Amino acid sequence: MNTAAVVKRILKQFHRDKRSVALMVAAPLLVLTLMWLVLDTETSAVKLAAVDVPAQVVESIETEGITVTVMDEAEAEEKLNEAEIGGVLQWEDGAPFVILEGSDPNTSGTIRSTLQKQLSEQNASMEWEYWNGSSELGLFDYVGPALIGFFVFFFVFIVGGVSFLRERTQGTLERLLASPVRRSEIVFGYLGGFGLFTVVQSIIIAAYSIYVLDVFMAGNFLYVLLVTILMALTALSLGTLVSTFAGNEFQMIQFIPLVIVPQVFFSGLFPTEGLAEWVQVVGNLMPLTYGAEALRDIMLRGSSFESFQVEVYILLGFTTLFTVLNIAALKKHRPL
Amino acid sequence: MEAAVEMKGISHWFGKVQVIHDVDLSVEKGEIFGLLGPSGSGKTTLVKMMTGLLRPSKGVVQLNGEKMPSLKQLRQFGFMAQSDALYSELTGRENLDFFASLYGMSRKDRHLRMNHVLDMVDLTAYASRPVNTYSGGMKRRLSLAASLIHEPELIILDEPTVGIDPVLRQSIWSELNRLRNHGVTIIVTTHVMDEAEKCGHLALLRDGRMMAEDIPSQLKSKLGVSSIEEVFLHYGGGARA
Ligand SMILES: Nc1ncnc2c1ncn2[C@@H]1O[C@H](COP(=O)(O)OP(=O)(O)O)[C@@H](O)[C@H]1O
Ligand SMILES: [Mg+2]
């Protein structure tokens, strides 16, 4: 009941505070675009060899802006060796089979996403193989999923944390607690109000990244939304919890290098596979690690729910933990 | 008759510093009870205990005979904090509507009461403006309106007239008197001596100690002085180093 009142109030405040809304939606879009400009250097001409491929398939791929040359297997292998082509599309038992040259991740990424789009409908299982190396995708394609998660996380953390902090500094928290509201109702109200807002925020950011910036996307858009919204809720509950330890807005900003920046480095936004074990252990304590992993699963590998459900549960676990701590932390302001 | 507020043997420490020293206090229903003391004497601390926001290190606080904090008793009083606790992006009416909804008032009740309290504090004309366009005095009045929104039988006001001009101060006091005549119990803290005269009962606080507590006229006649200021000086004058 009171939760609904708090939710309604937060949404009204959003409605009035256009600048925060802009920060949470426009800023991620802007930064994602900049990252995309820097990282997603489109290779000029992507060359693909076609071996025993049905003619109409060749046609459908060419319209996508890839130069397709029909040749035989021996010739194709020679060109792969000399890296003159980005990959070979072959037909084996009526199913597509692709060998990627693999040395330029952007080229491989373009071929991969194009073929996936064009051919995956008829052929559920496409075979992929690498001639050289195994860096599968463009750098932006690789970090894209994690970036989407990161920006949602970062801006919700800041805006959520600061609004909860202001509730305290402007005295309204005390005023609220001097009314028959339960501590949990306040915290759930925040989760609800911001939750509704982050649904919209997540849709916009994910849709922009996937459909406008064309980040590689092999999976279900709804799964992407599910994970980003969960990340937003984790960020909100963490932000409000952390704000308990801040005396003013500036101190809240001081938590960024403490709470946010390490997550960038440890969460696998940049690959951590080769790094020392303790790095990976630290990463395992960070919510962003699981969000980024789940998003990569969905977007790069087109995974089904089963393969990223563990991450989903862990994110839910983080949210629950932070929420419970939040409710407890409010005891400082009213023992009941 | 059971007291509206009863505080027994209250002491409180912030860390190692003791800020309240063994205070006993009892507020009868239907009176205006003033808590008079200079800044830093512990008025806000005592008020927070009454509203359940702070648990005293020692002693018991009861509202209507029930030990605080209690969710049931939180419904019974209205509270106006020392600082204006308002949402500055929202309009006056939206602020009131939000606080009203915390008391489970129906939409119709909220509407009627909002109009009533807005009228009472003379803010009807400004009700649809965002609070960040209000002057200091207007915010004070809106805070007062918010504390009255659910027609509480007890209102606790922490320095309600600070920063308000004399005319408005007068109108707030006449409003408090009117509420008292309707049987509402009012607890008001102040550091302004002449306001103290307007209270039915007065407690003098200094450095966390209650120095005297009585009807203002009694306080004066006992010492044979003519103003509360003199009473205050008598009890506390030499105490402060
Ligand atoms: N949260 C707190 N932590 C430490 N000391 C406090 C705190 N709140 C108040 N005090 C101290 O307690 C004393 C009484 O404060 P307060 O009740 O606010 O006085 P008043 O409202 O009469 O001005 C002051 O000395 C003040 O510094
Ligand atoms: Mg005070």
Side-chain angles (χ1 to χ4, degrees):
Chain A
M1 247 284 297
N2 288 334
T3 305
V6 177
V7 169
K8 202 173 132 198
R9 193 208 79 216
I10 289 174
L11 291 178
K12 259 190 206 146
Q13 283 176 300
F14 268 129
H15 181 65
R16 291 285 152 70
D17 187 9
K18 300 276 183 330
R19 186 199 281 243
S20 294
V21 172
L23 180 72
M24 289 171 79
V25 177
L29 296 190
L30 176 71
V31 186
L32 276 168
T33 310
L34 292 176
M35 296 284 280
W36 172 73
L37 287 173
V38 174
L39 297 178
D40 196 56
T41 46
E42 202 59 56
T43 348
S44 46
V46 176
K47 293 189 188 123
L48 182 70
V51 179
D52 306 329
V53 179
Q56 98 253 27
V57 174
V58 172
E59 230 167 83
S60 75
I61 299 164
E62 274 210 300
T63 56
E64 288 291 311
I66 296 181
T67 328
V68 185
T69 322
V70 179
M71 54 184 84
D72 65 32
E73 207 171 333
E75 190 184 352
E77 282 186 7
E78 190 178 315
K79 295 211 167 191
L80 270 180
N81 265 334
E82 285 158 20
E84 272 175 31
I85 51 171
V88 181
L89 172 62
Q90 276 178 293
W91 226 249
E92 242 172 39
D93 308 324
F97 170 79
V98 184
I99 304 171
L100 293 168
E101 192 275 325
S103 61
D104 180 351
N106 281 323
T107 306
S108 304
T110 309
I111 294 176
R112 210 176 154 137
S113 59
T114 309
L115 292 185
Q116 199 116 17
K117 241 180 255 161
Q118 291 301 317
L119 302 176
S120 61
E121 282 141 40
Q122 308 97 297
N123 306 283
S125 62
M126 263 172 91
E127 294 277 344
W128 300 91
E129 203 173 90
Y130 283 89
W131 195 254
N132 295 312
S134 65
S135 56
E136 303 174 11
L137 298 158
L139 187 52
F140 187 70
D141 290 324
Y142 181 78
V143 297
L147 277 182
I148 294 173
F150 170 72
F151 286 122
V152 169
F153 194 91
F154 177 76
F155 288 102
V156 172
F157 176 85
I158 289 298
V159 177
V162 168
S163 0
F164 202 68
L165 175 79
R166 280 182 51 204
E167 189 96 60
R168 196 148 52 82
T169 52
Q170 74 192 357
T172 44
L173 179 62
E174 202 161 76
R175 176 67 183 77
L176 267 177
L177 288 170
S179 78
V181 72
R182 286 170 201 281
R183 283 177 285 124
S184 55
E185 288 172 330
I186 299 178
V187 175
F188 289 139
Y190 261 76
L191 282 177
F194 272 80
L196 283 177
F197 179 76
T198 53
V199 171
V200 179
Q201 184 207 24
S202 299
I203 291 177
I204 295 175
I205 295 177
Y208 181 80
S209 313
I210 292 166
Y211 300 117
V212 179
L213 298 185
D214 209 19
V215 178
F216 185 84
M217 166 70 169
N220 189 329
F221 187 72
L222 290 179
Y223 288 163
V224 174
L225 278 189
L226 171 72
V227 174
T228 39
I229 290 165
L230 280 177
M231 290 179 81
L233 290 181
T234 312
L236 174 70
S237 53
L238 180 61
T240 51
L241 181 62
V242 161
S243 79
T244 320
F245 305 101
N248 53 44
E249 275 92 342
F250 183 54
Q251 287 181 6
M252 187 66 205
I253 304 300
Q254 291 167 6
F255 278 110
I256 295 176
L258 243 91
V259 178
I260 301 291
V261 175
Q263 300 211 51
V264 177
F265 294 108
F266 289 88
S267 67
L269 188 62
F270 304 113
T272 51
E273 269 116 59
L275 300 183
E277 200 160 311
W278 68 267
V279 174
Q280 296 181 32
V281 171
V282 174
N284 285 345
L285 301 173
M286 301 184 167
L288 202 56
T289 306
Y290 300 96
E293 182 51 36
L295 285 174
R296 268 197 297 269
D297 246 355
I298 298 163
M299 294 177 66
L300 299 184
R301 296 165 207 131
S303 303
S304 60
F305 183 75
E306 286 74 42
S307 58
F308 64 89
Q309 59 177 350
V310 175
E311 280 87 2
V312 166
Y313 300 142
I314 292 176
L315 284 178
L316 278 174
F318 272 120
T319 309
T320 313
L321 173 70
F322 297 147
T323 303
V324 170
L325 290 176
N326 245 313
I327 297 172
L330 281 180
K331 269 200 170 159
K332 204 170 95 184
H333 302 283
R334 190 183 74 190
L336 181 70
Chain B
M1 196 172 65
E2 161 188 88
V5 177
E6 179 97 53
M7 301 181 94
K8 280 191 221 131
I10 305 287
S11 291
H12 194 75
W13 284 261
F14 282 118
K16 288 208 171 80
V17 186
Q18 185 167 10
V19 295
I20 303 292
H21 300 261
D22 202 23
V23 166
D24 289 293
L25 165 164
S26 172
V27 180
E28 295 302 318
K29 285 195 171 132
E31 68 176 355
I32 299 186
F33 188 97
L35 209 49
L36 175 70
S39 167
S41 57
K43 304 181 296 293
T44 300
T45 307
L46 285 178
V47 159
K48 279 191 186 171
M49 290 171 184
M50 293 177 198
T51 53
L53 294 172
L54 187 67
R55 208 196 285 274
S57 314
K58 250 172 75 184
V60 181
V61 183
Q62 290 185 327
L63 255 66
N64 302 311
E66 193 176 338
K67 191 166 181 250
M68 286 300 281
S70 128
L71 269 189
K72 178 163 164 267
Q73 292 305 322
L74 280 166
R75 191 174 292 281
Q76 309 302 323
F77 65 85
F79 174 48
M80 176 179 173
Q82 187 168 356
S83 64
D84 297 307
L86 299 166
Y87 297 98
S88 56
E89 306 92 352
L90 302 185
T91 66
R93 195 176 281 279
E94 285 167 341
N95 269 281
L96 292 180
D97 191 49
F98 172 62
F99 288 119
S101 56
L102 298 177
Y103 294 90
M105 295 165 68
S106 72
R107 183 183 285 266
K108 183 169 161 246
D109 276 354
R110 291 205 304 261
H111 189 73
L112 289 174
R113 281 297 296 171
M114 269 197 283
N115 287 342
H116 182 75
V117 294
L118 279 169
D119 194 43
M120 193 189 275
V121 297
D122 208 13
L123 280 177
T124 308
Y126 302 93
S128 355
R129 289 214 202 148
V131 167
N132 53 26
T133 65
Y134 280 25
S135 71
M138 287 161 79
K139 287 185 196 159
R140 265 345 254 150
R141 279 140 66 198
L142 187 63
S143 294
L144 177 64
S147 71
L148 300 173
I149 190 77
H150 59 295
E151 266 189 297
E153 56 202 34
L154 166 67
I155 51 179
I156 301 173
L157 312 167
D158 198 359
E159 310 219 19
T161 56
V162 165
I164 289 192
D165 58 80
V167 177
L168 211 72
R169 181 180 299 191
Q170 203 58 49
S171 88
I172 285 184
W173 271 98
S174 59
E175 186 52 44
L176 293 183
N177 278 316
R178 204 187 59 78
L179 287 166
R180 197 261 332 269
N181 293 340
H182 282 78
V184 176
T185 312
I186 296 162
I187 298 173
V188 53
T189 77
T190 180
H191 65 260
V192 185
M193 300 288 166
D194 66 348
E195 277 192 356
E197 309 260 6
K198 300 182 173 117
C199 301
H201 239 91
L202 198 56
L204 305 189
L205 203 65
R206 173 135 221 173
D207 295 331
R209 290 188 174 81
M210 188 111 105
M211 299 180 308
E213 196 250 279
D214 212 329
I215 303 168
S217 59
Q218 282 289 326
L219 286 170
K220 287 186 284 190
S221 67
K222 248 192 281 184
L223 296 172
V225 296
S226 60
S227 73
I228 291 296
E229 192 148 9
E230 286 167 282
V231 175
F232 205 88
L233 286 174
H234 171 85
Y235 284 109
R240 183 165 266 183

